[in-house]
Amino acid sequence: MKASLSQQDFNLFREFFYKKTGIEFDDSKRYFVDKRLLKRIEETGAKSFRDYFISVRFESSQKEFQNIVNVMTVNETYFYREDHQFKTLTQQVLDELISQPNRGAAPLRILSLPTSTGEEPYSIALQLIENWPGLDSHDVELDGADIDTDVLERAQNGVYNQRSVQYLPPDVLDRHFTEVAGGRYQISEDIRDAVNLFKANLSNRDDCRKLRNYDVIFCRNLLIYFDDKSRQTAINALYDALRPGGFLFLGHSESISRMTSLFEVRRFPNSIVYQRPLS
């Protein structure tokens, strides 16, 4: 098989990948895409890009397409990333949620998407344990979702290198992690069991229908990979996934104010958060 892809091959693949995931690769990502795609073609034994592409498009199990997703998505994160948003969650947002009218006794439901290798949902769990007194009297359900099944498996194992835990306070690391082989750290089984992990794609309607009645959604640094059309689709899906009065946390470089009027912009002391109106 030839060791490179033609521009036509690249265009075919990126259009297909975009339609399936909402993630767009421009020409500046050509080397990144070619390298990973050629490796998949070689590992499957396909004779050419065309043969590989046809088999992926018509594969009923979608197993190979999932393999492509797993190698094409970038998953780089660490514990307590953008810590100011967690402070907003534990110091303002959760208390406001439990005081909303007609709240009832239903558990608070929090979603991390994309969850990547688990640092974000586990950070939320740690922040609740360490910094939110309301955890003693209110039930919380924590979910983590991602399009990449490999990172979900790693998140379930909960083993991290020094870089991932470098910003954790030493006492938090001591209380909730165990040092394992290779100088790595595994988060406690209790915390791993407290987070429900599953696969979800914001560009897939069936997946989006399963995301409902969340009080808080963390969707940080995902929309930057989408074009305007895919971003609008994702914003609508996130709105539908929140219950009235729920809050959406985005990455520090992301803003949806110019794209939609669905959300109210809430300015807290430490961060800006988007809220689905109560009515």
Side-chain angles (χ1 to χ4, degrees), residues 5 25 36 41 60 65 75 79 106 111 115 126 142 163 178 205 207 229:
L5 302 180
F25 294 122
R36 285 156 179 76
I41 294 172
S60 59
F65 177 71
N75 299 282
F79 281 90
L111 171 66
T115 198
L126 291 171
L142 264 175
R163 182 188 178 280
T178 302
R205 291 182 180 179
D207 285 357
K229 182 179 178 181

Side-chain angles (χ1 to χ4, degrees), residues 28-39:
S28 68
K29 298 292 194 300
R30 176 71 189 271
Y31 176 78
F32 170 89
V33 172
D34 281 16
K35 182 179 179 181
R36 285 156 179 76
L37 191 56
L38 287 167
K39 184 176 181 181

Side-chain angles (χ1 to χ4, degrees), residues 108-123:
L108 286 164
R109 303 188 67 233
I110 303 175
L111 171 66
S112 164
L113 184 158
T115 198
S116 187
T117 43
E119 286 91 336
E120 183 172 271
Y122 293 145
S123 289

Side-chain angles (χ1 to χ4, degrees), residues 90 94-95 98 105 107-108 125-141 176:
T90 58
L94 291 175
D95 288 340
I98 61 176
L108 286 164
L126 291 171
Q127 290 281 347
L128 295 179
I129 293 168
E130 297 289 330
N131 300 314
W132 190 51
L135 189 62
D136 293 335
S137 53
H138 293 86
D139 290 332
V140 178
E141 294 179 0
H176 301 290

Side-chain angles (χ1 to χ4, degrees), residues 43-168:
E43 290 181 351
T44 59
K47 295 180 180 179
S48 66
F49 166 80
R50 187 68 55 155
D51 287 348
Y52 176 79
F53 185 65
I54 290 172
S55 68
V56 170
R57 285 189 62 186
F58 296 103
E59 181 187 40
S60 59
S61 70
Q62 292 291 285
K63 182 178 180 180
E64 181 55 27
F65 177 71
Q66 184 63 56
N67 288 332
I68 297 174
V69 169
N70 292 354
V71 299
M72 291 295 174
T73 49
V74 178
N75 299 282
E76 185 176 355
T77 186
Y78 49 86
F79 281 90
Y80 283 21
R81 186 177 186 177
E82 297 184 33
D83 183 42
H84 59 280
Q85 293 189 329
F86 297 130
K87 291 179 181 177
T88 298
L89 176 71
T90 58
Q91 293 176 9
Q92 285 95 29
V93 165
L94 291 175
D95 288 340
E96 180 173 326
L97 283 167
I98 61 176
S99 67
Q100 287 175 349
N102 303 319
R103 159 100 215 140
L108 286 164
R109 303 188 67 233
I110 303 175
L111 171 66
S112 164
L113 184 158
T115 198
S116 187
T117 43
E119 286 91 336
E120 183 172 271
Y122 293 145
S123 289
I124 295 170
L126 291 171
Q127 290 281 347
L128 295 179
I129 293 168
E130 297 289 330
N131 300 314
W132 190 51
L135 189 62
D136 293 335
S137 53
H138 293 86
D139 290 332
V140 178
E141 294 179 0
L142 264 175
D143 286 347
D146 203 287
I147 194 173
D148 185 337
T149 54
D150 285 347
V151 298
L152 287 170
E153 183 176 348
R154 289 165 61 189
Q156 189 65 66
N157 291 332
V159 177
Y160 301 97
N161 59 25
Q162 181 61 47
R163 182 188 178 280
S164 289
V165 302
Q166 63 182 319
Y167 296 113
L168 285 173

Side-chain angles (χ1 to χ4, degrees), residues 40 65 102 158 160 163 172 194 202 215 261:
R40 288 306 313 156
F65 177 71
N102 303 319
Y160 301 97
R163 182 188 178 280
V172 172
L202 278 182
D215 294 282
S261 58

Side-chain angles (χ1 to χ4, degrees), residues 126 129-130 169-178 188 191:
L126 291 171
I129 293 168
E130 297 289 330
D171 58 326
V172 172
L173 188 64
D174 289 342
R175 277 196 295 274
H176 301 290
F177 290 78
T178 302
S188 72
I191 293 180

